Amino acid sequence: MTHSSQWKEDDWKTYYDLMRQMQETDFVLVELNLYLDTHPDDQAAIAQFNQYVQRSMAIKHQFQSMFGPLYHFGVSYSPMPFAWKEAPWPWQV
């Protein structure tokens, strides 16, 4: 992981592409969660929800491997040196 001032154009493209994928996947998860609140026995929706959970986890793992932690307070690992000082943070873009 390099400091954002050292990123190349492809790094920025990948960063924004993964951010978009996370947003899209998490949007689907919110909608499925709302649906499942009122349809808890819909097996197809549960299977789709679980598929998107796996997809979300994989995208977030890839993002964190390349660009640093997404979450704080012990939910995400940090490489050495401690990576929270690196920008941009996900909420800054």
Side-chain angles (χ1 to χ4, degrees):
M1 183 177 76
T2 60
H3 192 273
S4 61
S5 64
Q6 300 170 345
W7 289 1
K8 296 181 172 96
E9 185 177 337
D10 286 344
D11 296 325
W12 283 106
K13 182 182 179 313
T14 302
Y15 182 92
Y16 284 108
D17 184 52
L18 289 171
M19 289 293 286
R20 180 189 49 78
Q21 288 180 46
M22 281 187 279
Q23 291 169 346
E24 290 172 356
T25 303
D26 288 350
F27 176 82
V28 171
L29 285 169
V30 168
E31 294 299 313
L32 283 168
N33 194 98
L34 292 171
Y35 174 81
L36 287 165
D37 283 345
T38 59
H39 301 81
D41 297 321
D42 187 332
Q43 293 180 0
I46 293 169
Q48 188 177 25
F49 179 85
N50 290 333
Q51 175 187 2
Y52 274 88
V53 167
Q54 288 179 333
R55 181 182 297 177
S56 177
M57 292 171 64
I59 294 167
K60 290 171 183 172
H61 177 75
Q62 181 181 3
F63 181 93
Q64 291 182 111
S65 296
M66 297 175 74
F67 301 109
L70 281 167
Y71 307 105
H72 51 78
F73 301 118
V75 178
S76 294
Y77 291 100
S78 176
M80 290 295 235
F82 193 61
W84 275 107
K85 65 184 175 94
E86 301 298 325
W89 292 335
W91 54 87
Q92 292 178 311
V93 294

